[in-house]
Amino acid sequence: MTFIPHAPKERDAMLKTIGVKSLEDLFKDIPEKHRFPNLHLPKALTEMEAAAELGELALGNENIRTDLVCFLGAGAYNHYIPAAVDHILRRSEFSTAYTPYQPEISQGTLQATFEYQSLIAALTGMEVSNASHYDGATAVAEAVNMAFAQFRGKRTKVVLSPAVNPQYRAVVRTYTQDMGLSIEGDDPSAKLAPDPQTLIPLINDNTALVILQYPDFFGRIYDFTALVEAAHSQGALVCIAANPIALGLLKTPGEMGADIVAGEGQPLGIPLSYGGPYLGFFATRKKYIHKMAGRLVGETVDNRSQRAYVLTLTAREQHIKRERATSNICSNQGLMALAAAIYLALLGPQGLRQVAELCYHKAHYAAEKIAEVPGYSPGFATPFFHEFTIHCPKPVAEINAHLLEHGFLGGYDLGQDYPGLKDQMLLAVTEMNTKEEIDALVDVLAEVAHD
Amino acid sequence: MTENLAVSIVEPTIYDLSSPGRTGVTFPAPDVPKAELPQGLLRSDLPLPELGEVDVVRHYTNLSTFNYNVDNGLYPLGSCTMKYNPKINEDTARLPGFAFAHPLQPVETVQGNLVLMYQLQEWLKEISGFAAVTLQPAAGAHGELTGVLIMHAYHNSRGDIKRKKMLIPDSAHGTNPASSSMSGLEVVQIPSDGRGNLDLAALKAACDETVVGLMLTNPNTLGLFDEHLEEAIQIVHTCGGLVYGDGANLNALLGIIRPGDMGFDLMHFNLHKTFSTPHGGGGPGSGPVGVSEKLADFLPSPIIGIVEEGQDDRLPLYGFLSPAKSIGRIKSFNGHFGMFVRAYTYIAMHGAEGLREIAEYAVLNANYIKARLNGKYAIPYDRTCMHEFVVEGQWAAAPGVRALDIAKRLMDYEFHPPTNYFPLIVHEALMIEPTETENKATLDAFADALIKIAEEAKTQPELLKEAPHKTPFGRMDEVKAARDLVLCCWLPEVNE
Ligand SMILES: Cc1ncc(COP(=O)(O)O)c(C=O)c1O
């Protein structure tokens, strides 16, 4: 299969205009020793054959739509995606455009991004949002860069809650490994405190940023207001990594005083797709935008006095500032941000609240039913949103293997990351799970406790 | 004077279109007893717009018509490789086995995904000549950051801890220096010589025992293959540095030469350029990184590998492996899997010969436009180019006209402009990359338009200065945008 549209006659005419005899003549600058290697790749497929091969590969997976009932979350969630979302995303006007460097012919992308920024600001209770980051983990890592820059490198400590998603914590460590920062609080082997206030003694006048998650990795919800105030009293900034569906119901991090709200936007209309592409969202207060990473769309007018949009404050970015830029980010998650905008526009306040409440009620029903099964008990007594932990009577891997045999994708094995949480499982319940599925899960859990 | 042919078609914002009480989706009533909500932790209001499904669909459909895109015509943005994105990719990426797989599923239940990722790693290795590949990075710049961290970690692991400098040519993309400084390195700029190659004398002078390495785009951002590439790499290696390849321009090299064979130590790929995954109006991209043998242990964790060998009729089991000295995780979950499916589909349809043809025709197309423009535009480094070339967008006979004006005027001829003002080393740069998927008729029409514009610049410069005329929107007041900073369609409460 080829996507090269040249007729042989046309190619020859072009070579003649250029003044060479053959295509090979165009490659004289390439060292001969290594020129034209023999690549060992499978024989080219036609589109028909490729469709069949990819179809086969896809069938090599058990998917959570037709094969498995999903109770797994841990940072990626199974939500319903209204049909209109993907129909709009598939429009090549959106999907095949580049970053909107030429605003006169990119107003579709620009206005949609401006609206995305507005929707994220509304959802998080913040003043400004950027155009996106790669995912929740890298958005949180960029929050560290921003805080570091805000204090001109003079504050060198980050207080990182151990209840932040282990993958986010890992990415923060990777990003900052050469920055000379110290990261404190992030000790998953310590006994997990029931209360985030225990982080307060770690915060001092050398702390640039405090990173929290809401709901936290275990699904727990706290009002962080007092913690944020304590951080502010030391002059530190606070980043709260939030679940956007939970924000359909819960008090916003903005209301709690957060300086940065970042997070994983996947729940907003983006398919699980084995981990990506997802969406990192990032919102902050207006006073920090000059230190914020990423693209930003602003409203303006064109020379015909029409309201229009452009990329603005670009002097923060790598193509202008080079080594002094706030970040190296260039391509971000444009199309995924569009998906989130469409999702939020479709659901509106009613729909989003409905989804959030469904998640909440179903998760609480499941938690209650599981706690009634002998051998299982709740991990924490704290209020939670749509994820919760349970003590299991057997190793989580064993229980999950049994669940899988019955067609369930069980919960996350917390012992992998938290030695103190051995035999504890993190389960997620969303609007996609019916009462029948939950009841059936409870039955299988009961069964596995016995044998 | 010029006439404005457009009618105003401003689309209201999603908030303008809102009317209280509407919703575009409803969900089933709860089938479980309601739990008590956490009073005191509930939000007081949720200021999202309220629209019906049709309102939302019309809004975005209307907006979409304001976008120029690859399916509408030539998009010759240099350095961006805006090739046609095959439709089949969009279908394969949405197959339920791919789209509805949770990233943390047990590996036994996602062997199809893991085989695909493993195979893609193998193909990228074969195409580039590297020993190992990570698929984790989300875009080119993210691949660069990964690469810089790997380079630094490699030196540190050898106790060679005084290396703090990254050498970067003056023609490099801004992400290269930004990625280096993000990892605490000092950036040293290396000039280019009169033929558009790296200045070897300057490179030699900069090379010492404090150098982490060199970040090199090859072909470079002038579209030129460095004539002393092997020597340049040798110089850096001699001082103990590593050579990083910015693979943005790999489209010119498919089946032509393998960067690993040339001595590059590591490189990022851009699946969203070379391997046809759509740009999405600014992402998602995908920026896998390939490394040589000695850097393989430093790759981000995990990579995909065989965790249990197959036997007779039992297939091998694919899963996750942790490189021994890994820099750590650079992204959550498994990278931009949806982009891997598209790139896999694309490579599978091409095979070795097909890939080489891509490079050959990309280079043919660029040289053809270059030949057609010869004499009409100044071409600062007039050599056989690779997949792109750079012209100067200014003439002595039309001193008031700038590259920007040419770019805007091209829109009136229904073409997307080339990249402008990059690379920084060319005065009023216009960087043209047609890609292999454009036919001769399109290229001729584009060259004709540029030639016509070169004449207009001298005879009717105001036509360019005020362009575009035929697009739905005219030139923007960028100063106002930066001054007013209206970044939101509604006014959030400022709680200081
Ligand atoms: C030469 C070069 N390097 C790096 C990048 C950054 O790539 P990305 O946008 O995928 O992060 C680009 C993007 O245009 C580029 O042209």
Side-chain angles (χ1 to χ4, degrees):
Chain A
M1 183 73 198
T2 181
F3 300 93
I4 297 169
H6 300 61
K9 216 170 67 202
E10 292 170 326
R11 176 198 57 212
D12 294 342
M14 290 167 71
L15 288 168
K16 201 162 158 224
T17 304
I18 297 167
V20 294
K21 291 219 171 56
S22 70
L23 289 169
E24 291 198 6
D25 289 346
L26 296 168
F27 297 95
K28 292 207 167 120
D29 281 348
I30 314 288
E32 225 179 309
K33 184 163 56 138
H34 299 298
R35 197 158 61 195
F36 307 131
N38 230 336
L39 299 184
H40 301 283
L41 293 172
K43 184 174 124 323
L45 303 180
T46 58
E47 181 181 302
M48 186 172 110
E49 292 164 311
E53 177 168 323
L54 273 291
E56 269 311 301
L57 279 170
L59 287 175
N61 301 313
E62 293 178 46
N63 74 68
I64 59 163
R65 178 163 274 195
T66 54
D67 307 324
L68 298 171
V69 176
C70 180
F71 286 99
L72 181 59
Y77 300 94
N78 181 27
H79 289 288
Y80 184 71
I81 303 174
V85 177
D86 196 47
H87 279 267
I88 297 168
L89 285 201
R90 286 189 79 134
R91 292 188 70 91
S92 41
E93 292 89 339
F94 286 123
S95 68
T96 74
Y98 199 73
T99 300
Y101 289 135
Q102 300 288 348
E104 298 85 351
I105 50 175
S106 310
Q107 283 300 308
T109 297
L110 284 162
Q111 185 171 333
T113 308
F114 178 80
E115 294 174 0
Y116 162 81
Q117 292 173 185
S118 309
L119 293 162
I120 292 295
L123 194 59
T124 55
M126 300 300 279
E127 293 161 13
V128 284
S129 154
N130 72 8
S132 70
H133 280 287
Y134 304 135
D135 64 6
T138 63
V140 171
E142 291 278 11
V144 178
N145 284 333
M146 179 176 128
F148 192 64
Q150 181 65 28
F151 296 108
R152 301 176 191 282
K154 293 206 178 85
R155 290 185 176 222
T156 57
K157 182 158 90 169
V158 172
V159 174
L160 177 54
S161 162
V164 169
N165 185 316
Q167 298 214 355
Y168 296 13
R169 290 189 282 114
V171 171
V172 166
R173 286 188 178 277
T174 305
Y175 263 60
T176 58
Q177 61 191 268
D178 292 335
M179 282 168 61
L181 287 176
S182 69
I183 296 178
E184 289 181 24
D186 174 22
D187 181 5
S189 58
K191 187 162 165 20
L192 276 169
D195 184 342
Q197 310 284 10
T198 50
L199 290 171
I200 291 178
L202 299 177
I203 305 168
N204 61 20
D205 63 3
N206 187 36
T207 305
L209 186 68
V210 179
I211 306 176
L212 308 166
Q213 189 172 336
Y214 176 72
D216 72 10
F217 185 60
F218 311 109
R220 302 177 299 181
I221 46 182
Y222 294 99
D223 191 333
F224 288 127
T225 307
L227 178 52
V228 172
E229 276 168 13
H232 284 169
S233 73
Q234 295 290 338
L237 304 186
V238 177
C239 168
I240 296 181
N243 179 316
I245 297 291
L247 297 185
L249 179 65
L250 302 180
K251 184 169 172 178
T252 67
E255 256 182 281
M256 298 179 192
D259 303 286
I260 300 165
V261 185
E264 180 52 70
Q266 175 273 329
L268 303 175
I270 297 170
L272 284 165
S273 188
Y274 201 51
Y278 290 172
L279 165 70
F281 64 86
F282 191 104
T284 186
R285 310 238 171 238
K286 224 170 173 175
K287 62 182 173 191
Y288 298 126
I289 46 177
H290 292 277
K291 292 286 185 289
M292 181 173 72
R295 300 218 154 96
L296 200 53
V297 174
E299 187 183 301
T300 189
V301 292
D302 71 356
N303 61 7
R304 303 166 199 165
S305 304
Q306 304 180 107
R307 182 180 66 196
Y309 304 91
V310 290
L311 292 173
T312 194
L313 293 191
T314 53
R316 298 166 297 118
E317 293 187 59
Q318 46 73 29
H319 63 284
I320 313 259
K321 274 280 171 63
R322 300 177 78 83
E323 65 270 19
R324 288 179 295 114
T326 52
S327 165
N328 68 341
I329 194 165
C330 184
S331 291
N332 47 46
Q333 302 292 110
L335 201 66
M336 295 3 260
L338 177 65
I342 300 164
Y343 179 85
L344 289 171
L346 281 168
L347 268 68
Q350 283 182 40
L352 191 66
R353 168 106 189 193
Q354 218 182 345
V355 169
E357 285 195 18
L358 283 168
C359 290
Y360 185 88
H361 295 314
K362 287 175 186 247
H364 282 74
Y365 174 75
E368 202 179 298
K369 289 286 162 195
I370 294 168
E372 287 168 9
V373 179
Y376 296 88
S377 62
F380 298 100
T382 323
F384 62 93
F385 175 59
H386 74 339
E387 256 179 319
F388 56 92
T389 65
I390 46 169
H391 287 281
C392 302
K394 288 186 174 164
V396 173
E398 214 174 293
I399 294 177
N400 273 339
H402 197 94
L403 285 173
L404 199 56
E405 274 172 34
H406 289 80
F408 291 98
L409 189 54
Y412 186 80
D413 183 353
L414 289 166
Q416 298 172 77
D417 304 283
Y418 301 91
L421 301 183
K422 200 168 149 287
D423 297 343
Q424 289 203 43
M425 182 190 264
L426 177 68
L427 286 162
V429 187
T430 72
E431 80 280 9
M432 299 293 273
N433 298 113
T434 62
K435 178 171 178 295
E436 286 72 46
E437 289 172 355
I438 297 169
D439 291 341
L441 171 80
V442 173
D443 288 346
V444 182
L445 286 174
E447 185 185 299
V448 69
H450 290 146
D451 49 50
Chain B
M1 280 312 293
T2 57
E3 180 195 357
N4 178 3
L5 301 174
V7 260
S8 179
I9 41 159
V10 172
E11 170 73 10
T13 72
I14 199 92
Y15 277 89
D16 296 337
L17 293 166
S18 172
S19 183
R22 289 195 303 221
T23 182
V25 206
T26 51
F27 290 86
D31 54 359
V32 297
K34 287 190 182 179
E36 199 186 325
L37 295 176
Q39 297 307 324
L41 263 176
L42 300 177
R43 70 184 295 161
S44 38
D45 68 332
L46 183 52
L48 297 177
E50 299 174 67
L51 296 93
E53 178 175 328
V54 63
D55 308 316
V56 174
V57 168
R58 288 210 179 124
H59 174 63
Y60 288 105
T61 303
N62 290 340
L63 284 183
S64 78
T65 64
F66 299 157
N67 267 7
Y68 192 96
N69 61 93
V70 172
D71 281 6
N72 256 141
L74 178 72
Y75 212 127
L77 267 184
S79 206
C80 302
T81 314
M82 295 295 284
K83 61 174 72 182
Y84 173 71
N85 308 133
K87 298 298 174 198
I88 180 76
N89 292 352
E90 297 308 307
D91 290 352
T92 54
R94 287 167 171 86
L95 288 165
F98 298 139
F100 303 112
H102 190 287
L104 300 171
Q105 277 185 225
V107 295
E108 292 80 4
T109 66
V110 280
Q111 285 296 298
N113 289 341
L114 291 164
V115 168
L116 183 145
M117 290 171 72
Y118 180 80
Q119 201 51 252
L120 183 60
Q121 285 176 187
E122 292 298 306
W123 289 349
L124 293 177
K125 280 157 64 176
E126 177 65 16
I127 289 166
S128 63
F130 288 109
V133 164
T134 170
L135 299 176
Q136 255 182 51
H142 205 215
E144 292 171 25
L145 178 63
T146 306
V148 173
L149 292 170
I150 290 173
M151 292 161 83
H152 207 186
Y154 168 78
H155 292 308
N156 287 343
S157 77
R158 292 154 44 96
D160 195 355
I161 52 169
K162 53 190 180 312
R163 295 185 181 268
K164 296 279 179 226
K165 274 190 222 156
M166 189 66 87
L167 310 182
I168 298 182
D170 55 4
S171 58
H173 194 263
T175 49
N176 293 186
S179 302
S180 301
S181 66
M182 259 174 102
S183 9
L185 301 182
E186 182 196 335
V187 172
V188 178
Q189 188 165 300
I190 307 295
S192 307
D193 71 12
R195 285 182 59 77
N197 300 314
L198 199 58
D199 184 328
L200 288 186
L203 179 65
K204 249 186 215 140
C207 274
D208 60 23
E209 71 291 344
T210 65
V211 164
V212 170
L214 167 71
M215 292 183 91
L216 192 62
T217 310
N218 185 69
N220 65 18
T221 60
L222 299 164
L224 301 174
F225 193 96
D226 198 295
E227 292 166 304
H228 317 295
L229 182 64
E230 289 181 293
E231 223 181 317
I233 292 175
Q234 194 57 49
I235 292 170
V236 178
H237 283 168
T238 303
C239 83
L242 297 167
V243 181
Y244 182 91
D246 177 335
N249 294 341
L250 188 68
N251 207 44
L253 302 184
L254 296 175
I256 305 297
I257 195 162
R258 308 195 311 165
D261 293 346
M262 300 284 301
F264 280 95
D265 299 289
L266 70 173
M267 181 190 86
H268 77 254
F269 301 81
N270 297 72
L271 300 188
H272 49 304
K273 297 180 181 182
T274 316
F275 298 105
S276 82
T277 77
H279 281 255
S286 179
V289 171
V291 298
S292 64
E293 199 71 56
K294 70 177 176 205
L295 299 179
D297 278 349
F298 297 90
L299 284 175
S301 182
I303 57 169
I304 312 302
I306 293 173
V307 292
E308 247 176 65
E309 290 298 335
Q311 243 174 20
D312 305 325
D313 54 355
R314 203 182 71 221
L315 295 170
L317 182 71
Y318 294 83
F320 300 103
L321 300 175
S322 298
K325 301 173 191 161
S326 175
I327 57 162
R329 178 179 275 287
I330 193 79
K331 190 180 180 312
S332 57
F333 304 123
N334 310 319
H336 282 173
F337 180 77
M339 301 294 126
F340 307 155
V341 179
R342 291 171 173 89
Y344 181 105
T345 308
Y346 185 73
I347 297 171
M349 287 192 295
H350 281 87
E353 272 173 49
L355 291 182
R356 175 168 160 180
E357 272 181 10
I358 289 171
E360 287 174 338
Y361 282 82
V363 173
L364 174 74
N365 281 0
N367 277 286
Y368 180 67
I369 299 180
K370 180 166 156 286
R372 293 255 359 241
L373 298 184
N374 211 345
K376 311 284 184 191
Y377 285 78
I379 302 178
Y381 305 90
D382 193 10
R383 294 162 39 191
T384 300
C385 67
M386 298 296 284
H387 64 304
E388 67 192 6
F389 65 102
V390 182
V391 304
E392 281 180 22
Q394 204 162 37
W395 301 268
V401 169
R402 305 180 57 206
L404 183 76
D405 306 316
I406 299 167
K408 301 302 181 197
R409 182 63 178 150
L410 262 172
M411 297 174 188
D412 287 334
Y413 289 92
E414 291 175 31
F415 290 107
H416 194 283
T419 295
N420 41 190
Y421 301 102
F422 176 66
L424 307 176
I425 57 170
V426 174
H427 176 65
E428 296 292 325
L430 287 168
M431 182 195 217
I432 301 170
E433 179 181 9
T435 84
E436 72 282 1
T437 58
E438 299 302 327
N439 66 27
K440 181 170 179 293
T442 306
L443 301 176
D444 278 328
F446 177 65
D448 290 344
L450 275 172
I451 292 167
K452 184 99 187 292
I453 291 171
E455 283 161 23
E456 290 171 354
K458 287 147 210 162
T459 55
Q460 291 171 276
E462 71 286 353
L463 210 49
L464 276 69
K465 299 300 293 178
E466 286 158 27
H469 306 272
K470 297 182 183 167
T471 54
F473 290 84
R475 286 201 200 187
M476 302 292 159
D477 187 343
E478 312 224 354
V479 174
K480 176 180 161 61
R483 187 189 56 220
D484 297 354
L485 283 182
V486 177
L487 307 170
C488 202
C489 5
W490 55 285
L491 269 185
E493 257 175 66
V494 180
N495 45 349
E496 282 295 315

